[in-house]
Amino acid sequence: MAYLRWGTLAGAAMLAIAISAAAASAQTCAQDSFEGNAYIVCAVEKGNGDLRLFWKNADGEPYRDFFSVAEAVRSKGQVLAFALNAGMYLPDFSPIGLYVEDGKELRPASSTHGNGSAAHPLPNFYRRPNGVFFLDNAGAGILPTPEFLKRRPKVRFATQSGPMLVIDNKLNPIFIVGSTDRTRRAGVGICGDGAVRFAVSEDEVNFHDFARLFRDYLGCSNALFLDGGQGVGLYSPALGRNDKSWHGGFGPMFGLVE
């Protein structure tokens, strides 16, 4: 969604954050590979760390970049261990669909079903089914949007994106084996023992192969696509990553606070 250029960790403030974050969580994000494709996988074990969603700062303006989130977290005496784009967003950096932060629904869920064509492919958000990642008192979960709206769980954080990659240990049937629709992709899965796994592809992959990463390699029974192509972004001081967007920034962002 937003064209990226690879940033470097510059300046004394960023260096201090990088050292603190690396010391606090040196193994949170790591380079990995699956079937010849390179990935970065960030892990959050159940009960470890404080996974949150960030959108607007204290002045009510979108953070737009990872460093602004890191600074806000640091001002409260904590460290941002990693962050990444939490889904698709509009030109004003607002979420396209459901967004809940600190128990408050700031954007309603979208049940719109778009129609694509050869000339105008259906945007990924509207590919069926899309889904909702959420955090409640029991931990993290991912549900297809219709199921989430049916259950209406009480959540602290939630973000809607799409399509679903893995649904109850089955790949989304809309994916095509060997598809030539290949790009960099980011997603999140709920894996064994309630662990959350984020994955960012460093190589260009299709949806089918990306979904198999979550199910067959990371052991996630449910997984959700977050964004692809120019919308993939990662912040990991331990890996020296602070991705920037040439389109002015990101919308909602995941962040692990320690």
Side-chain angles (χ1 to χ4, degrees):
M1 175 170 289
Y3 188 79
L4 298 178
R5 58 182 173 86
W6 302 112
T8 58
L9 302 183
M14 177 59 83
L15 180 59
I17 293 172
I19 294 172
S20 298
S25 188
Q27 300 302 319
T28 299
C29 296
Q31 296 176 341
D32 209 334
S33 64
F34 176 63
E35 296 186 336
N37 292 310
Y39 296 91
I40 292 177
V41 176
C42 299
V44 183
E45 303 302 327
K46 188 173 182 179
N48 290 349
D50 183 7
L51 183 62
R52 305 180 192 173
L53 285 165
F54 297 87
W55 174 24
K56 293 183 177 181
N57 60 26
D59 296 324
E61 297 296 326
Y63 282 106
R64 295 172 51 171
D65 61 64
F66 299 126
F67 181 69
S68 295
V69 175
E71 283 285 270
V73 169
R74 188 173 68 89
S75 70
K76 297 180 180 180
Q78 297 173 301
V79 170
L80 185 66
F82 76 82
L84 70 162
N85 179 0
M88 299 155 206
Y89 50 95
L90 298 172
D92 64 355
F93 311 106
S94 64
I96 291 180
L98 178 70
Y99 183 80
V100 178
E101 186 175 323
D102 291 326
K104 297 179 181 180
E105 184 178 300
L106 303 181
R107 285 290 187 274
S110 171
S111 297
T112 301
H113 297 299
N115 295 308
S117 66
H120 301 284
L122 184 67
N124 288 324
F125 181 90
Y126 300 106
R127 295 191 182 189
R128 301 184 188 181
N130 64 20
V132 176
F133 173 95
F134 61 92
L135 291 164
D136 59 18
N137 291 334
I142 295 174
L143 288 171
T145 299
E147 184 66 21
F148 180 89
L149 295 178
K150 181 180 179 180
R151 297 188 189 185
R152 286 286 181 180
K154 186 176 181 179
V155 300
R156 293 186 296 114
F157 295 95
T159 183
Q160 183 181 5
S161 191
M164 290 286 293
L165 298 171
V166 183
I167 308 166
D168 293 334
N169 215 39
K170 296 181 180 178
L171 302 186
N172 190 327
I174 68 173
F175 300 151
I176 301 171
V177 177
S179 170
T180 58
D181 178 15
R182 302 174 67 87
T183 189
R184 294 182 64 238
R185 303 187 189 276
V188 59
I190 308 299
C191 313
D193 298 325
V196 179
R197 298 284 188 273
F198 295 94
V200 174
S201 70
E202 296 291 81
D203 297 320
E204 296 183 345
V205 297
N206 61 36
F207 269 120
H208 188 271
D209 293 346
F210 193 50
R212 287 192 58 247
L213 166 80
F214 281 96
R215 187 191 67 176
D216 300 343
Y217 184 64
L218 300 178
C220 304
S221 57
N222 288 281
L224 179 67
F225 180 66
L226 294 175
D227 212 339
Q230 299 168 351
V232 176
L234 173 69
Y235 171 90
S236 173
L239 296 179
R241 290 284 291 269
N242 180 33
D243 297 354
K244 302 292 185 181
S245 168
W246 284 1
H247 286 185
F250 299 107
M253 292 172 269
F254 283 109
L256 181 67
V257 177
E258 296 182 334

